[in-house]
């Protein structure tokens, strides 16, 4: 494992911050000053600023009920509210598992382990959402939910600054249409991808604007009755299910 990756996996430092520490000569592997190109072996001892870095053997995860109007970021250059403004200071260095955009709400996972954050973010675990779209979900939309969708040279529903104009959408794992009234349709969908603004772009392709989007589940983890702006740690049974997932995917933490 590269030295910067090892540091980020076992401390609060990011890989970029680890690189800066290495450049400043503040990192040692055993008794040798580390270089950016160095790797770490199982029995190596790593020191940062003279203090030995202990390998992480446990991790913590919280479920946060993200509110609309919050940015999932460490900072925002436009001065908008970020999720860490609502969370206690002890979570300031925790990492989010993916993101929910500014106008979305619901279940957001945060963890103190970069390994866990990366593993969950890239997993094919189910994500369940409730949506309200402007317009009618017709046969064409239903077929796309069932069979998948490819878009080319299109930015509908995407962030204004995105450079991604093509996207592939896998078939939805499940969906349920609750009905339409007043020109709006409510539905529940389950997908197993976490692409940026994926659902907004999917429905925008059919000129359906997503008005409300709420994530209520991620894998075996459920939002339940957790109120907006509040958080909770995982319960013992939830940690056990998460560890089963890690073991099954041969992910070491």
């Amino acid at each position: 494992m590269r030295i910067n990756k090892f540091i980020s996996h076992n401390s609060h430092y990011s890989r970029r911050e680890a690189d800066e520490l290495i450049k400043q000569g503040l990192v040692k592997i055993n008794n040798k000053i580390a270089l950016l190109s160095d790797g770490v072996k199982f029995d190596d001892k790593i020191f940062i600023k003279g203090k030995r870095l202990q390998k992480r053997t446990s991790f913590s995860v919280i479920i946060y009920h993200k509110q609309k109007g919050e940015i999932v970021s460490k900072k925002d250059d436009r001065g908008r509210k970020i999720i860490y403004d609502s969370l206690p200071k002890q979570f300031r260095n925790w990492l989010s598992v993916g993101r929910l955009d500014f106008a979305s709400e619901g279940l957001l996972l945060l963890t103190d382990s970069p390994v866990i954050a990366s593993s969950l973010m890239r997993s094919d675990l189910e994500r369940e959402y409730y949506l309200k779209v402007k317009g009618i979900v017709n046969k064409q939309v239903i077929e796309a939910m069932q069979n998948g969708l490819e878009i080319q040279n299109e930015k509908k529903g995407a962030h204004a600054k995105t450079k991604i104009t093509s996207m592939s959408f896998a078939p939805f794992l499940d969906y349920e249409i609750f009905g339409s009234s007043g020109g709006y349709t409510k539905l529940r969908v389950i997908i197993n991808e976490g692409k940026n603004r994926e659902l907004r772009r999917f429905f925008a392709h059919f000129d359906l604007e997503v008005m409300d989007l709420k994530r209520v589940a991620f894998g075996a983890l459920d939002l339940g009755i957790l109120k907006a702006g509040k958080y909770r740690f995982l319960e013992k049974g939830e940690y056990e299910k998460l560890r089963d997932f890690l073991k099954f995917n041969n992910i070491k933490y």
Side-chain angles (χ1 to χ4, degrees):
M1 181 183 292
R2 287 284 292 273
I3 180 64
N4 62 350
K5 186 176 181 180
F6 180 88
I7 292 173
S8 72
H9 282 190
N10 294 282
S11 73
H12 66 273
Y13 294 111
S14 67
R15 291 194 195 184
R16 184 175 298 177
E17 291 170 336
D19 285 341
E20 289 303 314
L21 291 170
I22 295 167
K23 290 176 183 178
Q24 295 172 32
L26 299 174
V27 178
K28 284 187 176 182
I29 301 177
N30 301 317
N31 294 316
K32 173 182 170 290
I33 294 178
L35 302 176
L36 290 172
S37 59
D38 283 341
V40 177
K41 298 177 182 177
F42 179 78
D43 56 352
D44 282 335
K45 297 177 181 178
I46 310 303
F47 298 88
I48 299 178
K49 300 178 182 178
K51 185 177 180 180
R52 184 175 177 183
L53 179 61
Q54 300 295 331
K55 293 181 181 178
R56 189 188 298 274
T57 58
S58 62
F59 62 88
S60 296
V61 179
I62 62 170
I63 294 176
Y64 172 60
H65 188 158
K66 179 195 170 300
Q67 306 167 91
K68 287 184 179 180
E70 288 183 332
I71 299 292
V72 183
S73 177
K74 296 288 186 179
K75 59 182 179 180
D76 181 62
D77 55 11
R78 293 165 58 182
R80 293 173 294 180
K81 184 178 180 180
I82 61 175
I83 59 170
Y84 298 97
D85 292 332
S86 299
L87 288 164
K89 291 182 179 179
Q90 71 188 86
F91 301 117
R92 189 71 193 187
N93 292 316
W94 285 37
L95 302 172
S96 64
V97 177
R99 300 189 177 192
L100 286 171
D101 63 45
F102 183 77
S104 299
E105 62 180 316
L107 184 151
L108 181 69
L109 300 177
L110 291 99
T111 177
D112 59 355
S113 168
V115 175
I116 302 303
S118 177
S119 300
L120 290 174
M121 199 181 310
R122 297 175 182 178
S123 74
D124 60 356
L125 290 172
E126 296 180 358
R127 284 91 156 156
E128 182 177 359
Y129 300 84
Y130 282 87
L131 300 96
K132 176 182 177 182
V133 301
K134 187 176 182 180
I136 304 300
V137 176
N138 59 26
K139 182 179 179 181
Q140 187 181 12
V141 182
I142 292 173
E143 289 178 348
M145 288 194 289
Q146 293 174 336
N147 303 318
L149 175 69
E150 297 277 346
I151 62 171
Q152 301 287 335
N153 302 316
E154 182 179 308
K155 293 175 65 174
K156 291 181 180 179
H159 190 280
K161 295 182 179 180
T162 189
K163 295 181 180 180
I164 301 173
T165 59
S166 300
M167 187 173 283
S168 174
F169 304 88
F172 289 16
L173 299 181
D174 193 19
Y175 67 89
E176 181 179 4
I177 300 172
F178 298 122
S180 302
S181 63
Y184 297 92
T185 302
K186 292 184 178 181
L187 65 160
R188 176 183 65 86
V189 303
I190 298 178
I191 60 177
N192 62 348
E193 299 178 311
K195 297 175 182 176
N196 184 257
R197 296 178 70 90
E198 179 172 5
L199 290 174
R200 293 187 185 278
R201 296 189 71 164
F202 176 92
F203 287 102
H205 176 75
F206 301 99
D207 296 320
L208 298 172
E209 182 181 0
V210 175
M211 308 304 294
D212 293 312
L213 187 155
K214 182 177 183 180
R215 182 160 62 200
V216 297
F218 191 114
L221 306 177
D222 189 273
L223 187 64
I225 60 173
L226 187 66
K227 294 182 179 179
K230 301 297 182 180
Y231 75 93
R232 70 172 178 83
F233 281 91
L234 298 194
E235 298 175 354
K236 182 180 178 180
E238 292 172 321
Y239 273 119
E240 290 174 352
K241 291 177 181 177
L242 182 51
R243 288 191 176 91
D244 287 342
F245 160 77
L246 297 172
K247 184 177 181 180
F248 180 79
N249 289 277
N250 197 31
I251 297 169
K252 299 179 180 179
Y253 56 90

